[in-house]
Amino acid sequence: MAVATAAPITAMVGNVPIAIGFGNGSGAPAGYLVATIVLGLFGVGYAAMARHITATGAFYGFISHGLGRVLGMASGTIITMAYVVFEASLVGIFSFFSHSTVEKYTGISVPWIVFALVMLAANAILSYFDINLAAKVLGAFLVTEILMLGLMAVAVLVHGGGPDGFAVSSINPVNAFEPAAGVGGAVAGIGLFFAFWSWVGFESTAMYGEESRDPKRIIPRAILLSVLGIGLFYVFVSWMAIAGTGPARAIELAQDSSTSSEIFFGPTRDFVGGWAVSVFEVLLISGSFACGMAFHQCASRYIYALGREGLIPGSEGSVGRTHPVHGSPHIASFVQTVMATAIVIAFAVAGMDPYIHLFGLLAILGTMAILIVQSLCAFAVIGYFHVSRNHPETANWFRTLLAPLLGGLGMLYVVYLLWENRSFAAGAAADTLLFRLSPYIVGGLFLFGMLVAVWYRYRAPERYARIGRIVLDDTPESEPEAEPSIK
């Protein structure tokens, strides 16, 4: 589920060309290597906390325990918003790929909103049932994505690379901080930001703890395997794509959006065969669907987590309930479907483009929120183990102090990169009102969450006491009167 949320094929074909053409050039794989190290450090502390706190709220619950209920509520507010808009964002890119691919192979031009509504309906149906059904569907899509990306990369490796061999300089970490050679205006920070952006979603591992057989063992492993597994795969695939194309040629192709995909399609065509390019195009559709579906699951669980703690007025008997048979947060899932559908229809009515506006603008809005919360979560690990002195048997100078500190500082650097390069990331949508309002939306919702927590503290102390405190098992962190959590 977590790897599907990261969407490997979309991350590679969508983000790597931008990093090559406008960021760190042929050093883009080195940027992914740097991101793997930073996120790996974050993951070490995140996994340590997951061994003791198993909660559907994940970030929200962790920050509540490590930095206090006020920051926890604020973080829960903006992270919920992030996952809500991420589904709509992925609906946009799914619709874009579906529209162009169907038109290419059939000559029939189907309006993108049709594909969008089909995806929203499919997400709603699959999310109603047990999580294992969604996991199987996403797993099938994910395996085909990884196989095709891996096939291209291995084919280049077996053939000894491309016109310049293996282009070993592409994985030299120093080159992650160098701008693309010969490209005026290229900024290495853009390459690094798009590398980090490719991981968004891996943190969702922790929110499935209540639905796994042995969360104290499975979830920490899943966190580290997701971070490091995705990272090493990204480094290898992006490196082989550049090697197969040739570093200079890759930078040239990446300058034009109409040719940028050839960085992957070219080596695939040359070393695997033309049929594989057609499969690639179909997988871009299924990969974006899998990613959007995974984000739907994330949003539903955050809405459910806030609802079952009574933090959404009147929600204990509605969005705070699970299905009696399937164990899914079915009502919260329905609420998420309604919100995502309303967002998508609003963009369609406004005449906006599914890729430039719906995907691009909402991806930036959600990423801005998730990176801030991710940074806070790293520092929450330190607060939980070393300030509040919980579980001294787990506390460790590296695992729960140095690693999360370095990871948190690295995440703050990525927030800075997003702020500095937000206009570039938005592209043609940078002149829209939503783009200009994005920082204020994130900041405003964060402040709103803090004010709600403070209000509960003085006016509804029983609700304030429950913020982030419903966890899976009967531990000091759990809420005694908690409703049984997701099966």
Side-chain angles (χ1 to χ4, degrees):
M1 292 294 293
V3 178
T5 312
I9 196 165
T10 306
M12 288 289 92
V13 179
N15 293 347
V16 170
I18 297 174
I20 293 172
F22 304 96
N24 36 23
S26 60
Y32 279 92
L33 181 58
V34 169
T36 301
I37 294 170
V38 172
L39 290 171
L41 290 169
F42 167 81
V44 167
Y46 192 48
M49 207 157 181
R51 289 189 179 95
H52 299 286
I53 300 175
T54 302
T56 299
F59 279 163
Y60 156 67
F62 288 9
I63 294 171
S64 295
H65 284 92
L67 297 179
R69 291 172 171 85
V70 174
L71 286 178
M73 186 68 195
S75 299
T77 303
I78 64 170
I79 197 68
T80 302
M81 178 277 294
Y83 287 128
V84 167
V85 302
F86 271 144
E87 181 186 2
S89 173
L90 267 297
V91 167
I93 197 170
F94 167 83
S95 304
F96 173 79
F97 285 142
S98 298
H99 170 81
S100 59
T101 302
V102 168
E103 187 172 31
K104 175 181 177 180
Y105 287 103
T106 68
I108 301 173
S109 180
V110 180
W112 70 266
I113 190 63
V114 174
F115 296 109
L117 294 176
V118 168
M119 178 173 171
L120 288 163
N123 285 350
I125 294 170
L126 288 172
S127 298
Y128 179 81
F129 297 99
D130 186 285
I131 188 65
N132 289 303
L133 175 60
K136 288 173 183 176
V137 173
L138 298 188
F141 288 150
L142 180 64
V143 168
T144 53
E145 285 182 51
I146 291 175
L147 284 176
M148 187 53 62
L149 287 167
L151 181 62
M152 179 278 295
V154 170
V156 174
L157 181 68
V158 170
H159 281 80
D164 299 313
F166 285 123
V168 179
S169 62
S170 291
I171 54 173
N172 182 345
V174 173
N175 292 329
F177 303 94
E178 296 292 331
V183 180
V187 179
I190 291 175
L192 284 168
F193 168 69
F194 276 90
F196 278 95
W197 198 356
S198 301
W199 264 268
V200 168
F202 86 88
E203 73 290 336
S204 64
T205 42
M207 73 178 63
Y208 297 111
E210 297 185 21
E211 298 164 85
S212 64
R213 289 188 299 274
D214 186 4
K216 304 301 183 187
R217 180 178 61 87
I218 291 173
I219 299 305
R221 289 183 181 181
I223 290 169
L224 293 175
L225 286 172
S226 295
V227 174
L228 300 178
I230 291 172
L232 294 176
F233 186 71
Y234 282 168
V235 171
F236 177 57
V237 170
S238 60
W239 176 26
M240 288 298 101
I242 290 173
T245 305
R249 176 65 174 157
I251 293 175
E252 180 185 342
L253 290 171
Q255 298 294 305
D256 188 340
S257 60
S258 65
T259 60
S260 61
S261 59
E262 279 298 304
I263 295 171
F264 288 88
F265 292 171
T268 300
R269 187 182 300 108
D270 295 340
F271 300 121
V272 181
W275 63 271
V277 176
S278 299
V279 174
F280 242 121
E281 292 175 330
V282 174
L283 289 178
L284 285 171
I285 298 174
S286 65
S288 55
F289 171 79
C291 184
M293 154 76 109
F295 277 127
H296 178 95
Q297 301 283 356
C298 295
S300 301
R301 278 151 184 77
Y302 265 94
I303 295 169
Y304 164 79
L306 293 172
R308 70 176 176 179
E309 293 182 357
L311 301 177
I312 303 173
S315 59
E316 296 96 325
S318 55
V319 296
R321 290 196 297 114
T322 58
H323 194 281
V325 176
H326 306 300
S328 62
H330 60 301
I331 300 177
S333 175
F334 174 75
V335 171
Q336 166 59 16
T337 297
V338 171
M339 290 192 291
T341 302
I343 293 170
V344 170
I345 291 176
F347 272 77
V349 170
M352 292 187 169
D353 183 83
Y355 183 82
I356 295 173
H357 298 110
L358 184 56
F359 170 69
L361 289 175
L362 294 185
I364 292 171
L365 176 62
T367 300
M368 190 179 300
I370 207 169
L371 290 176
I372 292 171
V373 174
Q374 209 162 313
S375 304
L376 289 173
C377 189
F379 299 120
V381 174
I382 299 172
Y384 182 74
F385 288 105
H386 296 280
V387 178
S388 300
R389 299 188 181 280
N390 292 294
H391 300 286
E393 74 280 7
T394 300
N396 175 273
W397 71 270
F398 176 75
R399 182 171 59 244
T400 59
L401 181 59
L402 184 60
L405 175 62
L406 294 176
L409 292 174
M411 295 311 304
L412 288 176
Y413 175 61
V414 182
V415 173
Y416 164 76
L417 290 178
L418 172 58
W419 179 259
E420 285 294 299
N421 301 295
R422 62 192 186 282
S423 295
F424 174 84
D431 60 347
T432 61
L433 178 62
L434 179 57
F435 172 77
R436 293 193 293 272
L437 289 178
S438 291
Y440 301 101
I441 292 173
V442 175
L445 285 175
F446 191 84
L447 179 61
F448 173 75
M450 292 181 69
L451 293 175
V452 167
V454 171
W455 190 88
Y456 280 149
R457 180 174 185 174
Y458 293 103
R459 295 299 183 92
E462 72 287 351
R463 287 188 175 181
Y464 179 79
R466 288 202 299 265
I467 294 177
R469 291 311 189 268
I470 295 185
V471 299
L472 177 64
D473 48 11
D474 188 16
T475 66
E477 290 89 351
S478 63
E479 164 64 37
E481 290 85 27
E483 174 191 326
S485 53
I486 299 178
K487 294 179 182 179

